[in-house]
Amino acid sequence: MSHKKLAEDILQHIGGKENVANLTHCATRLRFNLKDNKKANKEELEKLAILKAVEAGGQYQVIIGPHVSSVYSEVMKIADFGADTDSNDGNKEKPSIRSRIFDTISGSFTPLIPVLCGSGLLKALIAILTTVGWLSASSGTYFILSAASNAVFYFLPILLGVTVALKIKVNPYIAATIAAALMEPNFTGLLQTGDNSSFIGIPVVPMNYSSTVLPVFAAICVYALLEKFLKKIIHEQLHLIFIPMLSLLVMVPLTAIVFGPFGVYVGNLIADGTMLIMGKSAILTGFILGASWMFVVILGLHWAIIPIIISNITTNGSDQLMGILMASVWVAGGVALGVFLKTKDKKLKAVAASSIIPNFLSGISEPVIYSILLPYRRAFIISMIMSGISCALAGAFGIEATQIAGGVFTIPTFLPVWAYIIVILVSIIGTALVVMIFGYENKKEKLEKDEVSLKIEPNVESQNIINKGTVSENITSPLIGTVRQLSQVNDPAFSSGAMGPGLAVEPSIGTLYSPVNGVVSHVTKTAHAIMITSESGAEILIHIGIDTVKLKGQYFSAHVKQGDTVKRNDVLISFDIENIKGAGYDVITPLIITNSDAYSEITPSSKEDVKQIDTLLSLTV
């Protein structure tokens, strides 16, 4: 039966497409939220080329098997149902406010990571070409390349307006326009007068919004509430015109009157407080300012201190504040280096590497801040602590800067040079070591320490069996834990054997390892399930937990993607056992051989407790 025909028949027997509220799929099954479950005909469904039909967890689940994604695509062609079934799941635990804030911040910056890293690398290239004399700082080529490298940082509020809006699901074009209005020439022209302006008599403090983060974040979050309110009070036929108009009418002045001045006042407060503490102790100033500097940069408040630095250099020829604060830039590079050496995630390793280069060559820390420090809370905390220590050390040495640029090429412009080099080494090497020791993400710390402590030895038992020539494939355990029979799995698709033979493991450590040498044939978007085809052709499904698709990827992190070649004992997926259990889900993990017809015998392990080096199943042709 073709996938198209099967999709049509399934829709017919679940009560027709008009009976479907929404639909999603996981590694093996279609998950329908039906308006009336009684209209579904289980007997007729199970006559089709499916494995089983189950009503569970408020969903009507049609278990297809490994080719579920193909059937799902055909169903969606017939009727494009909403694909977020979990939104109606009243039993799902809601994430905390703190988790939602960090998720919004991380999700807003993640799409910008490639262009931030690329722009940073281009800045580094320009710095190199200028330093060696191959590019003149007064040439048209220099200005064009500088425009290309600076654009993402200058217009960050506009780009961030789009990504924040997409994350919190409001109109991204209105959000971008709100941000763009604050950078429009008529608005920025208010800065030229140097005086405060007003809006319908309300004072407005002009400020430069380029490269800022806080104003646009606040503006778009408030805009989301405004949009929701306007949709309720305005007739649907008038949404197209009046919602954009009223949103701009309210949000642009509100941002200029409230969010912008807040940044100015806080920035001035930081500048005044810094100079006050600086007059008493350079070491204390270094620690306080260094520990908080990442926050200051992210919020765009550093512009209040930059004029002080420039004034000091112009008047005195040098500035100690700049000498102190440069340590925080090197600390950011140390975090990126530590993550690069620590992580096994190929994508994160590439991001870290591309962040290190502009940081070391030209003192640009934004790629590190937005691609590593914001998404990973532990990395952020480490950067705060190490920045405080390194900046305090710079204050103790009395390091002064004679210009405001950073990077390796400017080292001779910091005095005394020998002390500055010591601070650089402490900032980079010390921070990298801390990241490597303590990790960069809270929930991964324990499992990564366990991974390091586990010594992988050849599985002698498996080798002996293979040498006898009776077994064509040995499947090692993908987890460290306790072996369970499939009948103990609280899911009829697995416990009944409908998906195929296999075993389950109750994990004690949240790390899923590859049980074979082979190729990843599928990874779910939520990273709760994976399929691997071994070198000898065994098709293996591993499903972490029961109904964990409802977590929508929370507490799971995939380290591989579809098409990746993996070796036995490679880390595939990391997951947080305690938080998954805390959300009410069972973590028992079935391993299924989905092409069991290809084997004359599948022999399960007799062990009760297994490690990832132990054989779980032996397959005989």
Side-chain angles (χ1 to χ4, degrees):
M1 181 181 292
S2 69
H3 293 150
K4 181 179 179 181
K5 174 62 175 170
L6 180 58
E8 292 172 347
D9 291 344
I10 289 172
L11 280 178
Q12 177 185 345
H13 296 309
I14 52 93
K17 61 183 182 181
E18 62 277 0
N19 191 38
V20 179
N22 39 41
L23 166 69
T24 188
H25 76 90
C26 59
T28 59
R29 64 196 76 189
L30 297 174
R31 292 173 173 267
F32 290 95
N33 277 88
L34 301 181
K35 297 175 182 177
D36 185 356
N37 285 3
K38 294 179 181 179
K39 291 184 179 181
N41 190 327
K42 182 177 180 179
E43 291 183 2
E44 291 299 321
L45 279 169
E46 293 188 341
K47 291 179 183 178
L48 303 176
I50 69 169
L51 299 175
K52 200 171 184 64
V54 179
E55 186 177 345
Q59 296 178 328
Y60 206 91
Q61 304 174 13
V62 180
I63 303 168
I64 305 292
H67 57 287
V68 64
S69 59
S70 299
V71 179
Y72 172 81
S73 297
E74 293 298 333
V75 173
M76 295 300 282
K77 288 178 183 177
I78 299 171
D80 187 9
F81 306 114
D84 187 9
T85 58
D86 300 325
S87 61
N88 294 328
D89 186 1
N91 297 322
K92 183 179 178 181
E93 182 179 285
K94 293 184 179 180
S96 66
I97 294 177
R98 186 182 70 171
S99 296
R100 290 163 65 186
I101 291 173
F102 273 96
D103 179 61
T104 301
I105 293 172
S106 176
S108 299
F109 280 103
T110 297
L112 300 175
I113 289 174
V115 69
L116 287 168
C117 292
S119 297
L121 288 172
L122 183 55
K123 273 179 168 286
L125 176 62
I126 294 170
I128 294 172
L129 294 177
T130 305
T131 301
V132 300
W134 293 354
L135 182 64
S136 170
S138 60
S139 67
T141 303
Y142 175 86
F143 287 112
I144 291 173
L145 291 179
S146 295
S149 64
N150 291 329
V152 66
F153 300 109
Y154 185 86
F155 293 106
L156 184 60
I158 298 175
L159 297 174
L160 199 57
V162 173
T163 57
V164 174
L166 290 172
K167 182 64 181 176
I168 62 179
K169 298 180 181 179
V170 293
N171 191 310
Y173 308 107
I174 296 177
T177 305
I178 292 170
L182 302 173
M183 305 178 71
E184 194 270 339
N186 286 315
F187 186 87
T188 57
L190 296 174
L191 292 170
Q192 306 303 318
T193 63
D195 299 323
N196 291 352
S197 186
S198 65
F199 175 78
I200 58 173
I202 302 173
V204 175
V205 181
M207 70 170 290
N208 184 355
Y209 285 91
S210 65
S211 304
T212 60
V213 171
L214 178 62
V216 71
F217 249 112
I220 304 310
C221 290
V222 173
Y223 156 61
L225 299 174
L226 176 64
E227 183 184 81
K228 185 176 181 180
F229 172 73
L230 293 175
K231 284 182 176 180
K232 287 182 178 179
I233 65 171
I234 298 175
H235 191 277
E236 186 176 357
Q237 298 296 326
L238 302 176
H239 282 185
L240 181 63
I241 299 174
F242 285 101
I243 288 181
M245 183 194 75
L246 293 175
S247 296
L248 293 173
L249 180 63
V250 172
M251 291 311 308
V252 174
L254 182 63
T255 304
I257 295 168
V258 178
F259 307 134
F262 174 78
V264 172
Y265 295 138
V266 173
N268 290 339
L269 183 63
I270 290 174
D272 293 341
T274 298
M275 296 311 298
L276 178 64
I277 301 173
M278 192 72 177
K280 298 182 180 296
S281 171
I283 297 176
L284 181 61
T285 301
F287 183 79
I288 295 175
L289 201 56
S292 59
W293 190 245
M294 295 301 176
F295 280 110
V296 172
V297 172
I298 290 170
L299 300 179
L301 303 176
H302 58 298
W303 295 114
I305 296 178
I306 297 299
I308 298 174
I309 294 173
I310 295 174
S311 175
N312 288 340
I313 292 175
T314 302
T315 305
N316 307 319
S318 63
D319 174 71
Q320 192 173 2
L321 263 180
M322 185 68 183
I324 289 173
L325 290 173
M326 273 307 300
S328 67
V329 175
W330 295 113
V331 166
V335 171
L337 178 60
V339 170
F340 175 80
L341 296 173
K342 176 78 172 177
T343 186
K344 296 180 181 180
D345 186 323
K346 295 178 182 178
K347 289 183 179 178
L348 181 56
K349 190 178 286 289
V351 167
S354 63
S355 300
I356 291 171
I357 297 173
N359 182 271
F360 286 3
L361 293 183
S362 53
I364 299 168
S365 58
E366 282 86 353
V368 182
I369 292 173
Y370 298 130
S371 62
I372 296 176
L373 298 186
L374 283 178
Y376 299 101
R377 279 172 264 181
R378 182 175 291 272
F380 198 103
I381 293 171
I382 289 173
S383 74
M384 289 175 58
I385 296 171
M386 289 305 298
S387 288
I389 294 171
S390 298
C391 289
L393 181 62
F397 281 137
I399 296 173
E400 296 189 353
T402 59
Q403 49 76 51
I404 61 171
V408 294
F409 300 109
T410 66
I411 290 176
T413 67
F414 288 80
L415 305 172
V417 175
W418 63 267
Y420 186 54
I421 292 174
I422 291 175
V423 170
I424 291 173
L425 293 177
V426 170
S427 300
I428 296 175
I429 299 175
T431 304
L433 287 174
V434 172
V435 171
M436 293 180 68
I437 293 170
F438 295 101
Y440 55 89
E441 186 178 20
N442 290 347
K443 67 182 181 181
K444 292 183 180 177
E445 181 184 15
K446 182 179 182 301
L447 74 88
E448 289 184 347
K449 287 167 64 179
D450 289 331
E451 288 172 18
V452 172
S453 66
L454 289 170
K455 185 177 181 182
I456 308 301
E457 299 289 350
N459 189 337
V460 177
E461 177 191 351
S462 298
Q463 290 181 343
N464 290 338
I465 295 176
I466 294 173
N467 291 337
K468 293 178 182 178
T470 59
V471 175
S472 64
E473 180 86 65
N474 282 283
I475 312 298
T476 54
S477 175
L479 294 161
I480 298 168
T482 304
V483 177
R484 306 292 186 197
Q485 299 300 314
L486 288 183
S487 59
Q488 296 176 271
V489 178
N490 188 25
D491 186 318
F494 297 112
S495 61
S496 67
M499 295 296 301
L503 282 175
V505 178
E506 189 83 39
S508 58
I509 295 176
T511 309
L512 186 76
Y513 302 91
S514 176
V516 293
N517 297 334
V519 176
V520 176
S521 48
H522 181 67
V523 183
T524 60
K525 291 182 179 180
T526 52
H528 75 286
I530 188 169
M531 296 189 67
I532 304 172
T533 302
S534 74
E535 290 178 346
S536 67
E539 296 176 1
I540 304 161
L541 166 66
I542 308 171
H543 194 288
I544 304 171
I546 305 304
D547 279 338
T548 45
V549 65
K550 294 182 179 180
L551 289 170
K552 295 183 179 179
Q554 190 177 18
Y555 311 131
F556 293 89
S557 178
H559 299 281
V560 294
K561 62 182 183 301
Q562 184 173 332
D564 281 354
T565 299
V566 293
K567 297 294 184 182
R568 194 186 303 271
N569 296 321
D570 281 355
V571 176
L572 304 176
I573 297 171
S574 304
F575 55 101
D576 191 323
I577 294 177
E578 295 305 317
N579 276 322
I580 293 171
K581 287 182 176 180
Y585 296 92
D586 191 348
V587 293
I588 190 169
T589 300
L591 181 149
I592 304 295
I593 307 301
T594 59
N595 63 334
S596 57
D597 292 344
Y599 302 95
S600 60
E601 186 177 1
I602 297 178
T603 307
S605 170
S606 59
K607 290 188 175 183
E608 292 185 2
D609 296 312
V610 289
K611 294 181 180 179
Q612 81 282 15
I613 59 176
D614 297 325
T615 296
L616 192 68
L617 298 170
S618 297
L619 312 182
T620 304
V621 177

